[in-house]
Amino acid sequence: MAPPLWTYAAPPTEARDPEVVLFAFSRGPLRDDVPMSLARFGAPDAAQVAAVEVRTIPRAVEPAWFDAWRSGSLRAIAETDLGAGLAALDGADHVHLVGAAPTAPADLGYLQSAWALARFLVARGATTILDAHAATFRAGDALPGPDAPLDVRAEVRVVFETDPTRGDLAHALHTRGMRKFGAPDLIALCGDADAALVSEVVGQLADRVARGETLASPRHAVDLDPSTTWYVVDDHDGLGALLQLNNRARVLVDASGAHLVGARDRRALN
């Protein structure tokens, strides 16, 4: 039996055009003796699976392009995400692209189907999965089970861009992965002391948006408590492009429109 379909908590009030891109790495070609099963791999229905594109690219076809997905900044992420599993990524010589780009989907079955196909590829020999928009690596044997509910915190990465040369000055704290839901990524500029608070607010907001909530434009109120309101505003300064999010972005600011450096202390005074 197919698992329950991932649905929106509330239908988005604006049409969304999401994009999912997963890379499944393997050493050698995949096995061809494993049948696809909706129940075994967690796909909601055959039509949703058929709408997801899967194609294979051997490293020999484009070595530089292939290796770019496991070097540079992605290499540092892979070292953190995979630990001892990094050896499997280094040994890979084939990548299998899983892509979904539906127009105005009525539910999240496209994302559920993409992960089902990733499990299918793992069963056939893939060892490592890269969620491209979230910039997250997962060992194939560590993927959630086929009956797992939608976990937005696993789908969307919250990143605090630290730079020791900047001291307590503003750092970007932002999401990666909201493009999978057809929604803008969220950015805040805050200090080290503010990071825990801002990260929690950004994570909660990302969860609500991923599940269907639409943020009002050009200004959306976010009530932290009866005396503290922040706002999500348009990205007039192009922070999303500077952070190379490969997605639209919105920015979280305080009630006066200022960035969130010192927000923790200001909230404590209220």
Side-chain angles (χ1 to χ4, degrees):
M1 179 181 297
L5 175 67
W6 290 357
T7 58
Y8 292 114
T13 58
E14 299 176 354
R16 296 185 175 185
D17 294 319
E19 181 185 67
V20 181
V21 180
L22 307 178
F23 291 73
F25 293 89
S26 69
R27 186 179 185 90
L30 298 177
R31 295 168 51 190
D32 59 7
D33 59 347
V34 179
M36 178 60 188
S37 163
L38 301 184
R40 178 181 175 186
F41 299 115
D45 64 61
Q48 294 262 26
V49 171
V52 180
E53 179 186 12
V54 180
R55 59 192 178 97
T56 296
I57 303 174
R59 181 181 179 275
V61 172
E62 194 68 52
W65 174 88
F66 190 104
D67 291 339
W69 295 104
R70 54 186 179 185
S71 60
S73 60
L74 282 173
R75 177 73 179 189
I77 293 171
E79 290 173 351
T80 298
D81 289 352
L82 297 174
L86 189 64
L89 177 63
D90 287 340
D93 56 15
H94 285 67
V95 67
H96 316 276
L97 275 62
V98 178
T103 299
D107 52 57
L108 296 163
Y110 66 91
L111 178 59
Q112 190 177 9
S113 295
W115 283 116
L117 285 166
R119 293 186 196 94
F120 177 48
L121 296 175
V122 168
R124 296 172 58 199
T127 59
T128 310
I129 306 296
L130 167 62
D131 180 345
H133 288 310
T136 299
F137 287 89
R138 301 189 192 188
D141 58 8
L143 293 181
D147 294 322
L150 173 65
D151 181 358
V152 177
R153 297 299 182 106
E155 299 284 350
V156 177
R157 192 168 200 138
V158 178
V159 181
F160 185 48
E161 303 279 0
T162 57
D163 180 350
T165 66
R166 292 178 62 86
D168 291 330
L169 299 177
H171 300 279
L173 188 151
H174 61 88
T175 61
R176 284 191 183 275
M178 292 300 291
R179 186 168 175 178
K180 293 187 291 179
F181 300 95
D185 275 295
L186 303 169
I187 304 172
L189 298 183
C190 63
D192 290 350
D194 311 302
L197 170 63
V198 176
S199 177
E200 182 60 27
V201 173
V202 166
Q204 291 179 5
L205 191 58
D207 186 276
R208 286 159 39 196
V209 172
R211 296 178 188 277
E213 181 174 334
T214 300
L215 302 181
S217 181
R219 199 166 184 252
H220 182 93
V222 180
D223 294 323
L224 274 66
D225 55 51
S227 61
T228 307
T229 299
W230 293 349
Y231 290 87
V232 179
V233 299
D234 293 337
D235 181 21
H236 295 298
D237 297 324
L239 296 176
L242 290 173
L243 292 166
Q244 300 181 326
L245 297 182
N246 194 32
N247 191 21
R248 298 171 295 130
R250 303 283 305 273
V251 181
L252 193 62
V253 297
D254 68 13
S256 67
H259 291 300
L260 299 179
V261 176
R264 183 197 65 171
D265 294 338
R266 290 197 297 275
R267 186 186 184 203
L269 294 174
N270 290 337

